[in-house]
Amino acid sequence: MKDFELKNIESFAITDVGKVRKNNEDAVLAMPLSGCFLVSDGMGGGKAGEVASSMMVNETEKAFRTNDPEMTPGEREGLLIRT
């Protein structure tokens, strides 16, 4: 990949419902080989926050699964913005 070198990248992701809400509306995505890490906050208390955060993660994952592995970091940023 241009300007993005993979060296022993490990990732870990976890979310927590917290102390106020009964359901966790957050979503995370970790795609180290694509250089994509995403935290999508479901905005607890809003309507369908878990739907919005899931959609963001799902659409971003689709976009990065089909991207060119030779994309520069700037091109990756543009892909994320368009997504």
Side-chain angles (χ1 to χ4, degrees):
M1 293 180 215
K2 295 179 185 175
D3 301 326
F4 187 80
E5 189 174 332
L6 297 172
K7 287 186 177 180
N8 301 318
I9 292 179
E10 293 183 31
S11 65
F12 176 81
I14 189 169
T15 65
D16 186 272
V17 69
K19 296 179 181 178
V20 177
R21 309 282 175 224
K22 292 185 180 184
N23 65 320
N24 189 349
E25 296 185 351
D26 303 337
V28 295
L29 175 64
M31 298 178 72
L33 296 178
S34 295
C36 179
F37 299 88
L38 174 72
V39 176
S40 185
D41 188 326
M43 298 296 290
K47 291 184 179 180
E50 71 282 2
V51 175
S53 62
S54 295
M55 287 174 63
M56 184 62 196
V57 165
N58 292 337
E59 292 304 312
T60 303
E61 182 177 18
K62 278 193 252 179
F64 276 83
R65 281 198 191 282
T66 60
N67 80 50
D68 177 0
E70 296 298 316
M71 291 175 81
T72 66
E75 290 168 330
R76 282 188 182 79
E77 179 183 25
L79 178 60
L80 183 57
I81 290 168
R82 287 189 304 277
T83 301

PDB file of all heavy atoms in Angstrom, residues 15 35 60:
ATOM      1  N   THR A  15     -17.313  -2.421  22.985  1.00  0.00           N
ATOM      2  CA  THR A  15     -18.217  -1.345  23.380  1.00  0.00           C
ATOM      3  C   THR A  15     -18.895  -1.767  24.670  1.00  0.00           C
ATOM      4  O   THR A  15     -18.864  -2.928  25.053  1.00  0.00           O
ATOM      5  CB  THR A  15     -19.278  -1.053  22.300  1.00  0.00           C
ATOM      6  OG1 THR A  15     -20.128  -2.191  22.169  1.00  0.00           O
ATOM      7  CG2 THR A  15     -18.660  -0.710  20.965  1.00  0.00           C
ATOM      8  N   GLY A  35      -6.496  -0.537   6.731  1.00  0.00           N
ATOM      9  CA  GLY A  35      -6.196   0.727   7.396  1.00  0.00           C
ATOM     10  C   GLY A  35      -7.441   1.455   7.843  1.00  0.00           C
ATOM     11  O   GLY A  35      -7.471   2.673   7.909  1.00  0.00           O
ATOM     12  N   THR A  60     -19.461   1.236   5.631  1.00  0.00           N
ATOM     13  CA  THR A  60     -18.015   1.465   5.600  1.00  0.00           C
ATOM     14  C   THR A  60     -17.275   0.162   5.335  1.00  0.00           C
ATOM     15  O   THR A  60     -16.330   0.123   4.541  1.00  0.00           O
ATOM     16  CB  THR A  60     -17.538   2.104   6.918  1.00  0.00           C
ATOM     17  OG1 THR A  60     -18.257   3.322   7.120  1.00  0.00           O
ATOM     18  CG2 THR A  60     -16.040   2.383   6.888  1.00  0.00           C
TER      19      THR A  60
END
